[in-house]
Amino acid sequence: MNAIELSHVSTAKPVLLGDSLTELEVMRDVSLSVPEGEILALIGPSGSGKSTLLRMINRMEDPTSGRIFLFGSDIANLDVKELRRRVGMVSQTPALLPGDVADNIAYGPNLRGEPCNPGDYLEHVGLERELLRRPASALSVGQQQRMCIARALANHPDVLLLDEPTSALDRTASRNIVELILRLNEKLGLTVIIVTHVMEHAQALATRVAMLVGGSLIEQGPAVDFFESPATETGRKFLRGELAEDGR
Amino acid sequence: MDANSYIHISNLDLVIALLFIAISAAVSRWQRLGLERDMAVGTVRAFAQLLAVGFVLQQLFNVPRWHWVILALAIMTTVAAYNAVKRQTGAKHGLFAVMAAAIATGASITLILVIGIVLRVRPWYQPQYVIPIAGMVIGNCMTGAALVVNRLHSELTLRRNQVEAALALGAPAKEAASEAMRESLRAAMMPTINSMMTVGLVHLPGMMTGQMISGASPVDAVRYQIVVMLMIAAATAVTAMVAVFGALRAFFTPFHQLSARLELGEAWDAYVRKKSKH
């Protein structure tokens, strides 16, 4: 079964160009599916719509046309809060909620009045239980990012969306996050969609790859195939690092 | 001098008072501030507006009718709501109803209490009491409503990441914005609390001075002022509360998403107008 499926998704956003307001097409007719338990790497030059695509899956934004399905149900018909519980999201830079580490991790379950043992999730992401009572802001950035992953896990999600989760981290911390994602995918069967600029990470993680350029889907398929021989000239150029932001 | 015979200001006195504007104009000319034109317009407007209001109020006072008093209150509230919207730095679309509801709620609750229970004005619509007190309450509600919504806008912009992190975990908009709402409410209520700290020491409120000039004893004037200050504190709190919840509906979509109006600022108004045309 497909955990996530996008069907002909397009979106335009109002943007300010100087003084005048124009609607900019950010995504054009994207259809894409992610089978349950797989890791999809979303790649492409910056400004190609990768983050927008992620944000549409948990309805932080809505497409102007097209439909998105979570395990076969149209997300427009799901309760937004329940959708977001099932689809966890971790942003580029760790976004801390007020309080200590335990408060952060238990935030989701607390909203619904469910019990939560924050220490367990801390262990899941390889952090010590002693950190529970520390203010979240006292952790290193790498630890904070792990905490954000633990926070998403405490909601028992089916899908995890990661928006360049390593871009604020050094090499060691990045490698640890990559290993953590692999472990969670294996242990929990989590479906993962990760936006990344680091091809090394995409290669280490992904079972599938989707490449966006200028809001259009250029390639999608098994990761092995893509990294061995991309189907398009644009894909080859991108892997060689020769693709400019506008896709030429 | 008895209580009713304070010194009246004649037309000639008013003309003499124009000397004051001449002094400001002289400063402006001397320092090349270029404010002379604005000063002239301001003077004319102040004369015209105040004389007109004085005339209308005089009619109201001569023939007190409850429906005229209500109409006056409605006009005051409308103008206040319009001004509270005008003071917003971000997009303004959809905020007039929020401001009007907030100011009307905050002002009417406190006015009913003060007129009905504290002062026990009989009949309740005596313009001599209702109009000046309502003026002070509505004016402060306007400031409170304008402050709270402006602040909520900037807090949500500033805390965008945090708010979206909470939303992404399944929090409803109200919960995700709770920190921002608290900060905004605090900001809206601080001026009233601060003025309670310094009242009498630094400034003498207009109403109190007015009462004393018209012959009331300072002790009586002070009693009124205490009631008014407490009333304003309550009215501001209620208004800010209603405004912050109302504005939340403008800053978030019904699907618990941050609205694009936060990024677009004033351009949002043009965008909404364009969309509704299609």
Side-chain angles (χ1 to χ4, degrees):
Chain A
M1 178 155 215
N2 284 330
I4 297 289
E5 195 182 328
L6 275 73
S7 164
H8 303 291
V9 170
S10 300
T11 194
K13 293 186 204 181
V15 283
L16 262 178
L17 292 174
D19 272 345
S20 68
L21 197 72
T22 25
E23 240 176 46
L24 204 71
E25 194 173 38
V26 190
M27 189 150 302
R28 193 177 316 114
D29 198 28
V30 169
S31 295
L32 175 72
S33 51
V34 190
E36 185 177 0
E38 301 226 13
I39 301 181
L40 171 80
L42 262 181
I43 59 173
S46 23
S48 58
K50 306 184 296 292
S51 298
T52 304
L53 196 153
L54 275 197
R55 290 166 58 83
M56 289 194 294
I57 297 174
N58 72 345
R59 291 201 72 188
M60 298 307 278
E61 294 173 26
D62 287 329
T64 28
S65 66
R67 297 164 78 189
I68 300 172
F69 300 90
L70 174 67
F71 289 97
S73 19
D74 190 334
I75 61 168
N77 299 329
L78 298 174
D79 174 61
V80 181
K81 289 168 280 176
E82 175 61 9
L83 165 73
R84 290 180 186 156
R85 184 199 66 72
R86 292 175 62 192
V87 181
M89 177 146 106
V90 175
S91 60
Q92 212 164 10
T93 47
L96 311 178
L97 298 170
D100 57 23
V101 172
D103 294 328
N104 266 269
I105 293 176
Y107 188 85
N110 281 347
L111 284 170
R112 297 179 298 275
E114 289 165 5
C116 174
N117 198 341
D120 295 349
Y121 298 99
L122 221 49
E123 280 180 0
H124 263 327
V125 299
L127 292 175
E128 292 95 48
R129 277 174 184 269
E130 292 117 70
L131 298 177
L132 275 179
R133 288 296 150 209
R134 294 262 187 92
S137 53
L139 305 185
S140 73
V141 185
Q143 288 174 323
Q144 286 175 353
Q145 200 57 303
R146 282 162 181 271
M147 182 199 76
C148 290
I149 295 174
R151 193 170 67 183
L153 293 178
N155 265 344
H156 299 286
D158 304 319
V159 177
L160 198 56
L161 308 175
L162 303 163
D163 190 359
E164 298 191 47
T166 61
S167 67
L169 309 181
D170 62 29
R171 272 187 82 82
T172 321
S174 299
R175 203 164 336 115
N176 289 340
I177 294 279
V178 168
E179 278 163 22
L180 170 63
I181 298 165
L182 277 174
R183 213 165 52 236
L184 293 173
N185 169 256
E186 214 166 284
K187 249 174 49 184
L188 306 173
L190 262 179
T191 308
V192 177
I193 303 181
I194 179 169
V195 169
T196 181
H197 274 130
V198 189
M199 284 311 111
E200 207 184 312
H201 293 168
Q203 217 162 349
L205 284 168
T207 52
R208 298 178 68 81
V209 169
M211 185 172 146
L212 283 171
V213 176
S216 297
L217 193 63
I218 299 295
E219 294 216 18
Q220 74 162 316
V224 246
D225 298 352
F226 177 78
F227 288 111
E228 215 153 88
S229 63
T232 62
E233 178 56 29
T234 318
R236 281 190 288 276
K237 265 182 152 178
F238 181 70
L239 280 187
R240 289 199 303 265
E242 291 166 4
L243 197 69
E245 281 202 10
D246 58 4
R248 277 187 222 132
Chain B
M1 189 168 66
D2 75 73
N4 288 320
S5 68
Y6 53 90
I7 303 164
H8 288 267
I9 295 181
S10 69
N11 286 339
L12 180 65
D13 298 333
L14 277 183
V15 173
I16 296 171
L18 278 175
L19 272 177
F20 294 121
I21 196 68
I23 295 174
S24 331
V27 171
S28 170
R29 162 110 4 139
W30 180 38
Q31 290 294 323
R32 295 199 203 92
L33 305 179
L35 292 175
E36 296 95 316
R37 209 190 120 79
D38 285 344
M39 280 178 186
V41 174
T43 308
V44 172
R45 278 194 62 162
F47 259 78
Q49 285 165 207
L50 287 175
L51 288 175
V53 166
F55 176 77
V56 170
L57 287 182
Q58 188 69 60
Q59 304 306 310
L60 201 60
F61 277 46
N62 288 346
V63 199
R65 292 280 183 278
W66 69 268
H67 46 267
W68 289 122
V69 173
I70 293 285
L71 179 69
L73 297 183
I75 293 173
M76 288 156 83
T77 306
T78 308
V79 175
Y82 174 78
N83 266 298
V85 174
K86 221 171 87 177
R87 286 192 208 169
Q88 296 309 303
T89 47
K92 296 172 174 59
H93 178 82
L95 288 180
F96 180 79
V98 171
M99 298 300 191
I103 295 169
T105 313
S108 57
I109 290 177
T110 41
L111 271 181
I112 289 170
L113 289 177
V114 168
I115 300 291
I117 297 173
V118 182
L119 298 180
R120 283 185 293 272
V121 179
R122 298 292 182 266
W124 62 265
Y125 53 83
Q126 274 189 68
Q128 176 194 353
Y129 294 98
V130 178
I131 299 293
I133 292 178
M136 281 182 291
V137 175
I138 292 173
N140 281 279
C141 287
M142 170 180 79
T143 309
L147 268 177
V148 84
V149 176
N150 247 336
R151 185 62 180 260
L152 184 65
H153 186 286
S154 55
E155 287 287 328
L156 288 177
T157 309
L158 211 69
R159 294 167 188 267
R160 190 184 183 99
N161 282 340
Q162 196 191 83
V163 173
E164 288 209 321
L167 291 174
L169 289 165
K174 202 164 69 181
E175 180 64 37
S178 59
E179 198 88 353
M181 287 164 74
R182 260 198 299 279
E183 273 312 309
S184 317
L185 285 171
R186 213 172 276 141
M189 289 168 68
M190 272 327 280
T192 318
I193 297 168
N194 283 339
S195 77
M196 282 165 73
M197 304 281 184
T198 57
V199 67
L201 301 177
V202 181
H203 68 286
L204 291 179
M207 176 173 100
M208 205 170 106
T209 40
Q211 276 185 297
M212 289 194 291
I213 287 174
S214 62
S217 78
V219 177
D220 260 344
V222 161
R223 283 168 182 270
Y224 264 89
Q225 193 55 47
I226 290 171
V227 170
V228 164
M229 293 231 73
L230 299 179
M231 179 182 71
I232 284 171
T236 312
V238 174
T239 301
M241 236 8 219
V242 177
V244 89
F245 277 104
L248 207 59
R249 301 168 65 114
F251 295 157
F252 285 86
T253 72
F255 301 109
H256 306 278
Q257 302 157 321
L258 274 174
S259 162
R261 73 184 283 156
L262 286 176
E263 295 163 58
L264 293 174
E266 287 189 320
W268 174 259
D269 294 331
Y271 177 66
V272 175
R273 268 198 302 278
K274 214 168 95 188
K275 278 231 136 174
S276 63
K277 257 192 224 156
H278 291 307

